[in-house]
Amino acid sequence: MLTPLGWGTAAVSAALYAAGWWLGYPEPAMLAVAGLAAVAGAALWTLPRPRLEVRREIAPAKVGRGEPAVGVLHVRNAGRGVRGLTALDAAGSTQVAVEVPRLRPGGGRTVTYRLPTGRRGRIPVGPLRLVRADPLRLARRVREYGAPQVLLVRPRTVPLSLLPSGRAHHLDGPTSDRSPAGTATFHALREYVIGDELRHIHWKSSARTGTLMVRQLVDASLPTTTIVLEARPQAWPEPDDFELAVDAAASVAVAASAASFPVRVLTGSGPVADTRGGPEDVEALLDRLTAVMPGPGPQSTLDVVRRVRAGGSLVVITPGGGELSRVAAVRSRFDRVVVLRVRPGEPASAPPGVHLIDFGDLDGLAEAWRRLGTAR
């Protein structure tokens, strides 16, 4: 099909030809014929439909915010030689264009191009379009290839150490129905099911009830790291500040999960993630934090904290210090309470029993966190 330039050239050429014929001047008519010939040649240039095999990959499919990600385009020519190809790919609201070198018959090319990763979220990539145009850009043929894909831009993280809980626990630790099955600590008696080890049968209870009963043994529950993220839009007038807050939440969550401790992440809208801990949970935590966006919630940060199950460490991430005193009111329910303030506008004093960290970037968070971990 003709491009806007092609249509304009054809219209001007037709007008010149009519003017030259009407006025009896051959020069405008000759220019008009040349213009119309160029348009016709451009249409013929793009008329053949190339036989192409096209495949696009995203490498890697998951990246941290700001980290490099590329589209890898593989093009193989199964027909005659082709030149003048341009690949157009959409990555979110960004249009990416890359020139494809000349393709010889039976030959192939691989080209790469950068994808935008400056904003966290699920970035739709595609559809991929190959545009074949003539050298004068008077005509072009556009064809779509493949299905759209998704680039997952996750929060950035920095390595953080695991904070000590600050309180001594019973040697076996608390147990619950969610505790992982193990061999160390008795939790309860339950009915026998096929697959239970016979050595765990409790014969006295079985004789008394007339039903085979077994001892349920679990591994003691580990202290949970609870992360409460302020996500109400009015609290974050600057979008970059909220992105930094999510990065901080991800860094704390990854540190605890990588050390095999349970992690719970909440906002005023409800739970974001609740994992038992372990390196395999790191990916799930990052994926779920990718989807966190500012939004009105039925609960404030304080309401969320009051409803959190007691024990372990509590980390509250907020832009200011307006709720410091109210967070201090629940200090006794947790072994350690840390408030992370993102680029606060004014200084604040930490209430007794609450650790306060002000930071303006992830490097500053890592340094302050290190000092907190070494403090007695």
Side-chain angles (χ1 to χ4, degrees):
M1 61 177 293
L2 296 182
T3 64
L5 179 59
W7 284 112
T9 302
V12 171
S13 298
L16 278 176
Y17 186 85
W21 179 81
W22 179 262
L23 298 174
Y25 290 104
E27 291 82 2
M30 293 176 61
L31 288 175
V33 170
L36 292 173
V39 173
L44 291 174
W45 177 285
T46 59
L47 185 60
R49 186 173 183 176
R51 296 167 54 195
L52 302 176
E53 298 174 3
V54 181
R55 178 169 54 91
R56 186 240 288 115
E57 301 173 349
I58 298 176
K62 298 179 180 181
V63 296
R65 184 170 62 91
E67 296 178 357
V70 297
V72 183
L73 183 62
H74 305 278
V75 184
R76 183 180 178 276
N77 183 20
R80 301 170 57 185
V82 180
R83 66 173 63 186
L85 282 179
T86 301
L88 298 179
D89 211 357
S93 59
T94 303
Q95 189 81 3
V96 182
V98 58
E99 298 293 332
V100 179
R102 178 185 177 185
L103 294 170
R104 299 182 181 276
R109 296 280 189 176
T110 298
V111 294
T112 61
Y113 48 95
R114 292 287 298 269
L115 296 174
T117 60
R119 185 62 62 183
R120 176 180 51 86
R122 295 174 60 88
I123 310 299
V125 180
L128 173 68
R129 294 177 296 163
L130 283 186
V131 180
R132 187 187 184 195
D134 68 287
L136 297 178
R137 297 296 190 266
L138 299 177
R140 67 177 185 174
R141 175 185 286 271
V142 182
R143 185 180 178 187
E144 291 188 0
Y145 291 87
Q149 296 174 278
V150 174
L151 170 64
L152 203 63
V153 180
R154 306 193 294 189
R156 291 176 55 206
T157 60
V158 290
L160 299 178
S161 60
L162 185 67
L163 291 178
S165 65
R167 180 181 297 180
H169 291 274
H170 187 273
L171 180 61
D172 280 345
T175 65
S176 69
D177 291 333
R178 294 191 58 202
S179 298
T183 59
T185 306
F186 172 78
H187 175 59
L189 289 174
R190 60 171 176 80
E191 292 187 8
Y192 172 86
V193 296
I194 296 176
D196 286 337
E197 296 187 37
L198 296 179
R199 62 191 180 93
H200 290 162
I201 295 177
H202 194 267
W203 295 108
K204 290 185 178 180
S205 298
S206 300
R208 185 171 59 254
T209 61
T211 303
L212 279 179
M213 304 293 291
V214 296
R215 296 186 299 272
Q216 181 181 355
L217 302 179
V218 299
D219 291 334
S221 297
L222 297 172
T224 299
T225 298
T226 300
I227 303 167
V228 178
L229 174 64
E230 173 63 79
R232 290 174 294 180
Q234 62 269 25
W236 305 100
E238 295 295 332
D240 288 344
D241 291 351
F242 182 73
E243 291 300 317
L244 182 57
V246 177
D247 292 346
S251 299
V252 176
V254 167
S257 184
S260 299
F261 280 83
V263 176
R264 187 167 48 226
V265 183
L266 307 101
T267 68
S269 299
V272 175
D274 192 352
T275 64
R276 293 185 175 182
E280 65 279 0
D281 287 333
V282 170
E283 292 294 313
L285 285 167
L286 290 174
D287 288 350
R288 292 175 187 175
L289 282 167
T290 298
V292 174
M293 297 296 171
Q299 304 178 82
S300 66
T301 304
L302 178 63
D303 294 331
V304 174
V305 171
R306 283 176 172 171
R307 289 167 172 77
V308 168
R309 188 168 63 247
S313 299
L314 172 66
V315 179
V316 179
I317 304 175
T318 178
E323 296 188 347
L324 278 176
S325 59
R326 288 178 286 180
V327 171
V330 298
R331 165 68 183 90
S332 60
R333 299 179 57 229
F334 300 93
D335 302 340
R336 179 179 288 246
V337 176
V338 181
V339 176
L340 305 182
R341 298 202 308 162
V342 180
R343 297 170 181 159
E346 55 187 18
S349 299
V354 176
H355 301 277
L356 181 63
I357 294 179
D358 294 344
F359 66 100
D361 53 41
L362 286 182
D363 292 336
L365 170 63
E367 177 60 24
W369 192 272
R370 184 191 62 80
R371 292 196 301 267
L372 179 61
T374 57
R376 293 185 178 181

